[in-house]
Amino acid sequence: MDPRPLFQAVDALCQDNILHFRESASEVSSRLVQVFSCIQDNARGLEPALRALAAVCPLFDLDPDTPANGYRSLIKVVLACTQHILHKCRYVTASRRSLFFRAAHNCSELEAYGAALTQLRALLCFAQRLLTANRHGDLFFRQERGLSEEFLKEYSTMHKGCFYGRCMGFQFTPSIRPFLQTISIGLVSFGENYKRHGSGISVAASSFFISGKYAIDPELRGAEFERITQNLDVNFWKAFWNITEMEVLTSIVGIASTAVRINKILIVPPEPLEMPLLSDPQCTVTINPAVAHTGPGPVHMRLISYQLREGQESEELNAFTKPEGPLSLDLHLRSRPAPLSPDLIVHFHGGGFVAQTSKSHEPYLRTWAQELQAPILSVDYSLAPEAPFPRALEECFYAYCWALKHCRLLGSTGERICLAGDSAGGNLCITVSLRAASVGVRLPDGLMVAYPATLLQATASPSRLLTLMDPLLPLSVLSKCLSAYAGTERVPVEDRALEKLSAVSQVKRGTALFLRDIRQGAASWLSNLMEGNKEKASPGK
């Protein structure tokens, strides 16, 4: 795509609107002249830089059939922002003389996208510096100093609030923008109430009542979003992401999810395993349980199976089973178990190494179990910062070896075993496979890793420039999670005590606090009402 017609149209419309609004002396007209001038200046500077980058970005494609790399993505983001500005400029030009033209609203919209274009111009300049500094065909700046340090400075000084307010998700398809806006409103509302209440449900309930102001004020939402992502520690993100673990939400999701016959919590004691070597099955290697940081401890797992299969109700497996919630009657007709599946999926959940469990990922795991007709073993590994690296890796590798050794108890012959995980879970899939190769035990037959965390150094690259405006996982949040996993960020003692509270006790305590707040508010409202009635009934009033 030749960007020149797009930028020429923006330039002409900006010039036309500048001449029009200069004739008015109002404050809004002055703001409009200023923002159109800013957009015009940035567009004129962006267009030649964009054409130059577009000419060389095909050199970084993986192959002719895969036209994708970080430079291409950056170009598409700049073009998407410019197209939004073009649409808004056309609307202003066509409607500016109408009685129903909302000058202040449209001015705020243009100011937001103008600020975004200014920041994108700075990123494009940085991408050009990367292009000239890197070795031929290399997307990453390999040195820790130099441009990589400047990349981090660029992030700390960049005004990012514009990407989280009116411009939230402009670079994505329109259908996903309401979802992103809902997440951002929930995040900033949760952040305002964080530390004021004792549990997640209290914060979530209070956040619901104050979310309206962030819905109607995008600038406030963007500024608060930037403050939260920059300043709040990893414990905030742990609390926010663990909202999905609340009993009320998991119950609702459980009702709407695919029904499965087997959904068991397994607690595997820390006992050494003797595993056959892949090169010589007659020889074995001892796999010790995880010991890093906290010493030997049991590994928690969740077994999900759409059908009841052989071994899944055996006494040997039930010895590892822990009841989850109140006991319920199995209304399914007791039938003969289905034969063992040739497949087994070992799943490691995401959550930035610091949050979530198999419970929050259970809805799609149930669907997988039905569609793949394979049992799924999801591992609840220990989380950072309480249990930093390598504790999670040790537990996941031990769980993988335990699954290999006991696959028939899980309802599988183990003919094909696949590791699956997203984000942090994807990282663990890869590292577990590498450890299996180094130890010499059987490798998984396949990996399904979704957006895995792989290159964890602060290395400058064109795609990493886009993390500066990521609406779900900004660079500062990712850095906090990785610092926690690396063991450089610790949890205060009082927060550790809070983390040890059971989910049930937190829900009960949070519900009590929430109801107390409602009672106090109702009492205050009734008191004011009664005082008002007394004043009205008083003589001489």
Side-chain angles (χ1 to χ4, degrees):
M1 173 186 175
D2 185 359
R4 280 176 289 191
L6 173 65
F7 284 94
Q8 288 170 359
V10 169
D11 185 82
L13 288 168
C14 284
Q15 186 63 31
D16 182 57
N17 281 296
I18 289 171
L19 295 175
H20 173 81
F21 288 106
R22 272 181 181 167
E23 297 176 359
S24 173
S26 68
E27 180 185 354
V28 175
S29 295
S30 176
R31 287 171 54 198
L32 283 166
V33 169
Q34 186 176 1
V35 70
F36 278 119
S37 300
C38 177
I39 291 173
Q40 189 179 52
D41 179 63
N42 281 314
R44 289 173 177 174
L46 274 169
E47 190 267 332
L50 211 60
R51 280 192 290 114
L53 192 60
V56 298
C57 69
L59 300 175
F60 297 89
D61 293 335
L62 182 65
D63 54 56
D65 298 324
T66 314
N69 59 64
Y71 290 116
R72 285 187 182 273
S73 299
L74 184 58
I75 290 172
K76 286 185 176 294
V77 170
V78 174
L79 291 176
C81 184
T82 309
Q83 285 166 349
H84 278 279
I85 290 173
L86 175 64
H87 173 75
K88 182 56 64 176
C89 288
R90 284 174 174 168
Y91 174 80
V92 172
T93 304
S95 308
R96 64 197 181 193
R97 298 185 186 276
S98 170
L99 292 174
F100 301 101
F101 177 65
R102 296 188 296 165
H105 170 77
N106 286 281
C107 182
S108 297
E109 290 277 329
L110 286 165
E111 285 172 341
Y113 278 101
L117 197 65
T118 301
Q119 301 303 323
L120 288 173
R121 184 180 179 183
L123 294 185
L124 199 63
C125 291
F126 197 92
Q128 288 179 310
R129 295 179 60 195
L130 273 174
L131 191 63
T132 57
N134 284 348
R135 293 178 298 180
H136 180 70
D138 200 340
L139 285 167
F140 295 93
F141 188 78
R142 299 294 179 177
Q143 301 175 18
E144 294 184 1
R145 298 188 177 276
L147 281 182
S148 293
E149 287 184 334
E150 292 183 33
F151 166 65
L152 296 177
K153 291 179 182 178
E154 182 81 13
Y155 180 81
S156 62
T157 58
M158 183 178 176
H159 171 62
K160 298 172 283 294
C162 59
F163 295 115
Y164 306 129
R166 294 179 188 271
C167 300
M168 169 68 77
F170 73 88
Q171 67 270 42
F172 301 115
T173 180
S175 60
I176 200 175
R177 288 176 206 154
F179 166 75
L180 295 176
Q181 289 173 354
T182 302
I183 292 295
S184 65
I185 292 170
L187 174 66
V188 296
S189 302
F190 189 88
E192 184 172 331
N193 287 280
Y194 181 62
K195 292 290 188 182
R196 295 183 185 176
H197 300 277
S199 70
I201 191 172
S202 296
V203 180
S206 300
S207 301
F208 175 78
F209 290 107
I210 68 168
S211 60
K213 67 179 182 180
Y214 295 112
I216 64 177
D217 191 342
E219 281 71 32
L220 178 63
R221 181 175 75 233
E224 186 67 8
F225 195 105
E226 183 174 6
R227 183 193 70 81
I228 288 172
T229 55
Q230 288 291 106
N231 299 324
L232 293 187
D233 61 14
V234 71
N235 297 298
F236 166 79
W237 298 99
K238 181 190 285 279
F240 179 69
W241 289 332
N242 280 339
I243 290 177
T244 56
E245 305 285 334
M246 287 169 49
E247 196 169 332
V248 176
L249 293 181
T250 54
S251 298
I252 296 173
V253 172
I255 294 173
S257 302
T258 303
V260 293
R261 287 294 305 273
I262 298 297
N263 190 346
K264 294 182 175 181
I265 295 293
L266 307 180
I267 301 180
V268 177
E271 299 173 352
L273 301 173
E274 294 296 325
M275 300 294 296
L277 290 174
L278 183 62
S279 58
D280 185 1
Q282 301 300 321
C283 300
T284 62
V285 60
T286 302
I287 306 299
N288 292 312
V291 296
H293 302 295
T294 56
V299 180
H300 295 245
M301 316 176 198
R302 180 184 297 272
L303 175 63
I304 298 175
S305 180
Y306 181 69
Q307 291 178 288
L308 172 64
R309 297 188 178 274
E310 293 178 10
Q312 292 178 342
E313 285 198 338
S314 63
E315 292 185 4
E316 189 175 354
L317 182 67
N318 287 336
F320 299 107
T321 303
K322 170 192 173 184
E324 184 180 25
L327 296 177
S328 59
L329 296 175
D330 185 358
L331 300 180
H332 292 88
L333 294 175
R334 291 290 177 179
S335 57
R336 188 173 182 179
L340 298 173
S341 168
D343 305 315
L344 176 65
I345 298 173
V346 180
H347 172 258
F348 307 129
H349 67 80
F353 300 104
V354 302
Q356 300 196 334
T357 65
S358 62
K359 188 70 176 175
S360 52
H361 294 249
E362 187 180 329
Y364 70 80
L365 293 180
R366 291 187 181 197
T367 303
W368 286 6
Q370 178 190 23
E371 294 179 351
L372 301 176
Q373 290 296 305
I376 299 174
L377 185 69
S378 185
V379 182
D380 284 315
Y381 53 88
S382 297
L383 301 173
E386 297 85 359
F389 177 86
R391 182 74 189 196
L393 172 57
E394 290 182 351
E395 291 183 355
C396 289
F397 179 64
Y398 181 85
Y400 167 70
C401 293
W402 186 89
L404 286 177
K405 193 174 184 67
H406 299 88
C407 57
R408 290 187 171 272
L409 297 181
L410 304 175
S412 172
T413 61
E415 181 180 339
R416 294 184 297 267
I417 296 181
C418 176
L419 301 186
D422 65 294
S423 189
N427 172 283
L428 291 168
C429 289
I430 297 170
T431 50
V432 164
S433 301
L434 292 174
R435 177 159 288 194
S438 65
V439 171
V441 300
R442 173 185 169 181
L443 295 173
D445 298 281
L447 299 179
M448 198 297 294
V449 292
Y451 46 90
T454 51
L455 184 61
L456 304 184
Q457 296 92 342
T459 304
S461 73
S463 59
R464 291 216 167 157
L465 293 175
L466 297 176
T467 63
L468 305 184
M469 66 187 78
D470 193 305
L472 293 179
L473 191 62
L475 180 64
S476 59
V477 180
L478 179 61
S479 299
K480 289 180 175 67
C481 294
L482 294 179
S483 296
Y485 187 51
T488 58
E489 183 168 342
R490 297 291 182 177
V491 180
V493 176
E494 61 271 16
D495 288 342
R496 292 182 191 175
L498 182 61
E499 289 294 330
K500 292 179 180 178
L501 292 175
S502 68
V504 175
S505 66
Q506 288 192 35
V507 168
K508 288 180 178 177
R509 184 166 180 256
T511 304
L513 290 171
F514 178 49
L515 293 176
R516 182 202 65 188
D517 293 342
I518 291 179
R519 286 196 303 269
Q520 291 177 349
S524 176
W525 179 79
L526 287 173
S527 176
N528 292 334
L529 180 64
M530 294 299 293
E531 290 293 332
N533 289 338
K534 288 179 181 179
E535 291 179 0
K536 290 180 181 180
S538 299
K541 297 289 185 181

